[in-house]
Amino acid sequence: MPSNFIEDFIEEDIATERFARPICTRFPPEPNGYLHIGHAKAICIDFGAARKYGGRCHLRYDDTNPVKEDVEYVDAIEDDVRWLGFEWDGLYYASDYFEKMYECAERLIEKGLAYVDDQSAEEISATRGTLTQPGTASPWRERGKDENLALFREMRDGKYADGEKVLRAKIDMASPNINLRDPVIYRIAHAAHHRTGEAWCVYPMYDYAHPLEDAIEDVTHSLCTLEFEDHRPLYDWVLEALDWPRPPRQIEFARLGLTRTLMSKRYLKQLVDDGAVEGWDDPRMPTIAGIRRRGYTPEAVRAFCEEIGVAKANSTVDIAMLEHFVREDLKARCDSRNVIFDPVKVVVTNYPEGASELVPMENNRDCPERGERLVPFSRELWIDGEDFLESPPPKYFRLFPGNEVRFKGAYFLTCTDVVKDANGRVAEVHCTYDPLTKSGSGFEGRKVKGTIHWVDAATAVPVTVREYGYLMNDEEGGSQTLNPDSLSVRTCMAEPAAAEALPGERFQFFRHGYYVADAKLSSAEPGGARVFNQIVGLKSSWKG
Ligand code: ATP
Ligand code: MG
């Protein structure tokens, strides 16, 4: 694995014995939604660094905001991290540190480094100043320690309503970094918390809580996304103000953005709440739960994350690149199945009525070790609508009247005529087969230019196939809108083996793409209803 700037920092810290403790990282999701592919990048970086340096990586729920959080999300996050192939060295909840964080806040007050402010949120934000103008001190900034302590205790005891008072760090109202202009570190919220219930009505703010969570857990490297770079001075300030020995080091990396992809839990939740998708695990969703149901593999997602690396500048990656990694990973992993889209009936007029035979079909052309299966062939077959044209354009090598093509794994067939229904649509394509051309017989008499796939009509099973477009359209100017045509469902005719697919099993549908038996909608019964999700097409549009 090539080294990157995060690893360079870690190696430097190991060499200088900066921490005098083993390397420890953490993945700290806020349980307010399902994880998405952007989180997968963070997970690979956090767990990957710990693995590489023989350290630990914690899974920590950053659950300091009582209102938005839910146990449903907590459970989903664990499934998702495990699915990606990582196991945490400890499961933590930031809410377990509420008492400790509160004590630290009292210590700041005692040191004259925090004060209770009676101003409203609007007043505080109006007096923060701008990039060019310093902020204005609160009239409560010079309150005495004892008064601050008494007021803060009253805040905790529930004496005040939401928003009536806050605790602010006393840093520098003129700092060029606005985050250091006496940031609010505690607010009042009379809200039940998913774990601590009604025990607290004051909650710590992220910028105060996060460094403490890291420090309490003996984290050494707190890896986060670039938007926290300007908050790092505050991260360091909190731990220094509390004389924390050998405090953790925050390092920022670029957020992952993908074309045609909405990457924010808040907006993804809105799609779920609005019913625009079937749920957090809808196969069109960029959530880990969605891409898992879509049939992506954890190996492909990890390989993709490794390839995009840990750039220091935010950038948007072409979704085709992710699809490329999925396709590459599936190539050697799946057996092939014949599945017919827009079926057209072929009648082999010189094949004996009532007869049938089993022809061997390779499971994966590139992996002979995946073996063969036997596929029935008889007088009536289904072929893809696209593989027959009554009046073909030049260079069309598939079936048309008078033309001979190879039916893969079986025989050469020549189209003799077309039978139409009352509406003039093709009802049956009549062909003759040449018994001498049997596949595998060594026949070398003639060459044909086209090879098509087929299924035996007598034994074919109907399957539901769900094909996906992108959920979002990228608009000029960077915004995204919902694509109204992101799902199409059709019934296809499949060879019998497709009906035995296990929920979650992946296949290449020959000449069509990669598909997975939907884990939720497919029956677990042999021969029961099968619903397949399109994973990716066969052709890459990624210009790597
Ligand atoms: P969202 O805006 O989607 O809710 P978030 O950053 O608020 O994302 P958190 O639950 O706070 O989500 O994130 C947990 C970790 O995942 C954080 O360290 C965060 O920096 C990282 N992360 C979130 N989104 C991305 C992304 N698109 N690319 C890389 N890392 C991400
Ligand atoms: Mg968040």
Side-chain angles (χ1 to χ4, degrees), residues 28-30 32 39 68 206 227-228 255 265-266:
E30 191 183 350
N32 61 346
H39 293 110
K68 291 185 296 178
Y206 180 91
E227 69 271 23
F228 294 106
R255 251 182 132 74
K265 279 181 283 183
R266 192 155 60 92

Side-chain angles (χ1 to χ4, degrees), residues 84-119:
L84 273 171
F86 297 104
E87 189 63 44
W88 42 95
D89 301 292
L91 181 66
Y92 300 88
Y93 289 86
S95 55
D96 285 347
Y97 315 140
F98 279 161
E99 190 64 48
K100 180 92 188 166
M101 290 173 181
Y102 177 85
E103 284 167 21
C104 287
E106 287 206 349
R107 280 225 319 271
L108 290 181
I109 294 173
E110 278 158 7
K111 293 179 89 175
L113 294 173
Y115 61 97
V116 172
D117 194 342
D118 296 2
Q119 293 183 110

Side-chain angles (χ1 to χ4, degrees), residues 395-398 403-406 412 447-451:
K395 301 212 172 122
Y396 184 84
F397 299 122
R398 291 171 268 173
N403 195 37
E404 184 174 51
V405 301
R406 181 197 313 272
F412 289 10
K447 296 265 177 276
V448 284
K449 280 199 165 153
T451 299

Side-chain angles (χ1 to χ4, degrees), residues 75-232:
D75 296 340
I77 287 168
E78 282 165 46
D79 289 347
D80 291 348
V81 174
R82 285 211 172 94
W83 179 79
L84 273 171
F86 297 104
E87 189 63 44
W88 42 95
D89 301 292
L91 181 66
Y92 300 88
Y93 289 86
S95 55
D96 285 347
Y97 315 140
F98 279 161
E99 190 64 48
K100 180 92 188 166
M101 290 173 181
Y102 177 85
E103 284 167 21
C104 287
E106 287 206 349
R107 280 225 319 271
L108 290 181
I109 294 173
E110 278 158 7
K111 293 179 89 175
L113 294 173
Y115 61 97
V116 172
D117 194 342
D118 296 2
Q119 293 183 110
S120 67
E122 294 72 39
E123 285 167 322
I124 290 173
S125 116
T127 50
R128 276 178 94 201
T130 64
L131 287 174
T132 49
Q133 297 252 301
T136 324
S138 163
W140 311 105
R141 195 171 197 264
E142 301 307 331
R143 259 182 173 142
K145 283 174 209 175
D146 293 342
E147 190 188 350
N148 277 321
L149 208 51
L151 288 171
F152 189 47
R153 287 176 182 166
E154 286 177 354
M155 283 167 64
R156 180 194 62 188
D157 293 342
K159 196 162 170 210
Y160 304 106
D162 292 7
E164 220 179 310
K165 288 186 172 18
V166 292
L167 185 70
R168 293 178 76 174
K170 192 170 181 179
I171 309 179
D172 178 5
M173 287 307 289
S175 171
N177 183 335
I178 295 181
N179 294 309
L180 294 180
R181 293 185 190 165
D182 291 10
V184 173
I185 58 175
Y186 264 90
R187 67 194 169 106
I188 300 171
H190 291 269
H193 184 277
H194 76 112
R195 293 187 85 234
T196 59
E198 309 277 342
W200 292 91
C201 62
V202 288
Y203 289 95
M205 303 300 287
Y206 180 91
D207 281 340
Y208 169 75
H210 206 83
L212 284 174
E213 294 159 23
D214 288 342
I216 290 167
E217 290 175 22
D218 276 341
V219 163
T220 55
H221 296 86
S222 181
L223 313 177
C224 64
T225 35
L226 223 46
E227 69 271 23
F228 294 106
E229 193 171 24
D230 288 346
H231 299 242
R232 190 183 343 129

Side-chain angles (χ1 to χ4, degrees), residues 26-43 45-46 60 62 77 206 210 223-228 253-258 263-268 314:
R26 84 287 170 268
F27 173 63
E30 191 183 350
N32 61 346
Y34 280 58
L35 300 182
H36 51 62
I37 178 85
H39 293 110
K41 174 180 174 178
I43 290 169
I45 291 174
D46 294 327
R60 180 203 309 145
D62 207 336
I77 287 168
Y206 180 91
H210 206 83
L223 313 177
C224 64
T225 35
L226 223 46
E227 69 271 23
F228 294 106
F253 58 86
R255 251 182 132 74
L256 170 65
L258 280 177
M263 203 88 87
S264 150
K265 279 181 283 183
R266 192 155 60 92
Y267 292 117
L268 291 171
N314 284 324

Side-chain angles (χ1 to χ4, degrees), residues 192-419:
H193 184 277
H194 76 112
R195 293 187 85 234
T196 59
E198 309 277 342
W200 292 91
C201 62
V202 288
Y203 289 95
M205 303 300 287
Y206 180 91
D207 281 340
Y208 169 75
H210 206 83
L212 284 174
E213 294 159 23
D214 288 342
I216 290 167
E217 290 175 22
D218 276 341
V219 163
T220 55
H221 296 86
S222 181
L223 313 177
C224 64
T225 35
L226 223 46
E227 69 271 23
F228 294 106
E229 193 171 24
D230 288 346
H231 299 242
R232 190 183 343 129
L234 180 51
Y235 182 103
D236 293 339
W237 182 91
V238 168
L239 296 175
E240 205 189 310
L242 292 162
D243 306 308
W244 209 285
R246 296 183 188 265
R249 171 179 190 177
Q250 176 180 302
I251 304 170
E252 308 86 15
F253 58 86
R255 251 182 132 74
L256 170 65
L258 280 177
T259 58
R260 312 287 312 252
T261 308
L262 184 60
M263 203 88 87
S264 150
K265 279 181 283 183
R266 192 155 60 92
Y267 292 117
L268 291 171
K269 182 171 190 305
Q270 205 176 316
L271 294 181
V272 174
D273 292 344
D274 293 350
V277 291
E278 290 163 22
W280 284 101
D281 65 350
D282 186 303
R284 291 166 294 179
M285 290 279 271
T287 51
I288 308 283
I291 63 179
R292 173 164 69 218
R293 225 181 122 189
R294 179 74 180 261
Y296 285 21
T297 61
E299 291 84 355
V301 175
R302 289 201 306 265
F304 166 75
C305 288
E306 209 160 285
E307 182 67 24
I308 54 175
V310 277
K312 185 78 195 180
N314 284 324
S315 67
T316 303
V317 175
D318 187 347
I319 180 88
M321 179 177 170
L322 172 59
E323 292 165 356
H324 168 82
F325 277 84
V326 173
R327 190 180 298 108
E328 286 302 306
D329 184 60
L330 292 177
K331 271 184 184 160
R333 200 185 265 283
C334 303
D335 286 354
S336 144
R337 292 287 180 264
N338 292 328
V339 177
I340 302 301
F341 289 54
D342 299 322
V344 167
K345 175 74 69 71
V346 167
V347 180
V348 191
T349 51
N350 62 338
Y351 195 86
E353 269 184 70
S356 77
E357 63 191 288
L358 291 170
V359 302
M361 196 82 68
E362 62 200 344
N363 281 326
N364 185 324
R365 195 177 357 196
D366 303 323
C367 308
E369 68 277 10
R370 295 196 75 98
E372 293 183 334
R373 66 193 184 284
L374 294 172
V375 174
F377 177 92
S378 70
R379 197 167 190 271
E380 297 200 352
L381 309 168
W382 294 112
I383 62 168
D384 269 8
E386 285 196 345
D387 285 341
F388 174 78
L389 279 181
E390 207 179 349
S391 327
K395 301 212 172 122
Y396 184 84
F397 299 122
R398 291 171 268 173
L399 207 57
F400 57 88
N403 195 37
E404 184 174 51
V405 301
R406 181 197 313 272
F407 275 44
K408 186 182 157 59
Y411 298 96
F412 289 10
L413 274 77
T414 303
C415 175
T416 51
D417 75 283
V418 183
V419 180

